[in-house]
Amino acid sequence: MKVSLFITCVSDAVFPRVGEAMARLLARYGVELDFPEVQTCCGQPAFNSGYWNEARAAAVTIIRAFEDSDFVIAPSGSCTGMLHHYPKLFEHDPIHLAKAQELQQKSYEFTQFLVQVLGVTDLGAVFPHRVTYHPSCHGTRILGIKDEPMLLMQNIKAMELVPLPFAEDCCGFGGTFAVKMSDISGAMVTEKSDHVLETEAEILTGLDMGCLMNIAGNLRYRDQPVRVMHLAELLYEGVNGA
């Protein structure tokens, strides 16, 4: 099967180690990732801001990039969720609508692919740290991600998983929301960081680097030594240290 990596803008430009961790973990199960270089932004910033014509242009590029792929995997519930919005963008364009629906059906967030497609819930990782988990809004609400990351984390040996108070509250990032309504966004991420600190966790993990970047920035601003990692990075580090 041809499995392609949709790296997403934030991971590509700011957190490339997330993509590397994904590729190395999947290689352990015989999955060699293809990387179509023509891929670009999924169009979510334009879509969320009401610029649907611009979002369609980005969507067409993404559809073409992954047209020959059997599966498309991304380290982001948010960007994968945007691919699931593509049929709405092309509801009056039968040709692109069919292609958008096909892309939607074969697109998975990383933990979904591991658990649902590969049937992997235990990677043999060992991670002797106190960890808390932030479930990002889009992955939870659009894709319904809930059990997959928990199954993976529950099988990590020596790790103490601590529940995050008010875990499903938004971190305040929301892409353009953080710019347009920075005061509200700042208050939300401060509240989220307060809850992270309540857990006394050494590590904060999650599935979306946009959200994790926002929380990490607030923690650094407050000189708090909580390490922030994408779950793929945590799993890879745990496998290497096993």
Side-chain angles (χ1 to χ4, degrees):
M1 59 184 176
K2 183 178 180 181
V3 182
S4 296
L5 172 62
F6 172 36
I7 189 58
T8 78
C9 300
V10 173
S11 292
D12 182 41
V14 189
F15 303 103
R17 290 184 180 179
V18 175
E20 293 172 10
M22 281 178 56
R24 289 170 177 164
L25 286 172
L26 290 171
R28 293 167 60 89
Y29 298 95
V31 177
E32 185 175 342
L33 286 177
D34 169 71
F35 187 85
E37 294 186 10
V38 70
Q39 64 181 277
T40 183
C41 175
C42 64
Q44 184 174 178
F47 179 80
N48 289 346
S49 298
Y51 296 100
W52 282 27
N53 286 334
E54 289 78 2
R56 285 187 192 94
V60 167
T61 300
I62 291 292
I63 288 170
R64 289 173 179 167
F66 298 110
E67 200 161 10
D68 295 329
S69 304
D70 297 314
F71 294 96
V72 178
I73 312 173
S76 165
S78 180
C79 297
T80 305
M82 182 59 204
L83 303 189
H84 286 234
H85 284 315
Y86 281 5
K88 180 66 176 176
L89 281 174
F90 296 109
E91 60 184 348
H92 302 301
D93 180 343
I95 294 175
H96 283 104
L97 174 59
K99 293 180 179 181
Q101 290 170 332
E102 180 184 350
L103 178 60
Q104 177 187 6
Q105 291 166 5
K106 65 185 180 183
S107 298
Y108 292 83
E109 179 275 330
F110 171 63
T111 65
Q112 286 183 312
F113 184 78
L114 271 180
V115 175
Q116 295 180 15
V117 179
L118 296 185
V120 174
T121 58
D122 188 348
L123 285 80
V126 179
F127 196 75
H129 299 282
R130 186 177 173 94
V131 177
T132 195
Y133 168 74
H134 168 64
S136 296
C137 297
H138 286 183
T140 302
R141 293 165 175 76
I142 298 174
L143 299 180
I145 299 171
K146 184 176 180 181
D147 295 336
E148 294 88 348
M150 301 309 296
L151 285 169
L152 291 164
M153 288 187 288
Q154 287 165 5
N155 284 315
I156 299 174
K157 297 175 179 63
M159 189 178 89
E160 182 184 2
L161 182 60
V162 187
L164 178 64
F166 303 99
E168 293 187 357
D169 285 2
C170 178
C171 74
F173 180 56
T176 56
F177 171 80
V179 177
K180 293 178 179 178
M181 299 185 178
S182 57
D183 290 344
I184 299 173
S185 174
M188 292 171 72
V189 73
T190 297
E191 184 177 60
K192 175 63 69 171
S193 296
D194 286 343
H195 294 317
V196 171
L197 295 173
E198 282 179 42
T199 68
E200 299 184 350
E202 304 166 67
I203 312 286
L204 169 67
T205 193
L207 306 179
D208 273 281
M209 284 315 306
C211 304
L212 294 175
M213 175 178 66
N214 191 39
I215 302 168
N218 186 271
L219 290 167
R220 281 197 300 270
Y221 179 77
R222 299 161 69 176
D223 293 322
Q224 297 295 332
V226 180
R227 186 181 177 194
V228 179
M229 308 172 70
H230 190 282
L231 184 54
E233 294 178 290
L234 189 154
L235 287 166
Y236 183 65
E237 189 168 311
V239 166
N240 273 358

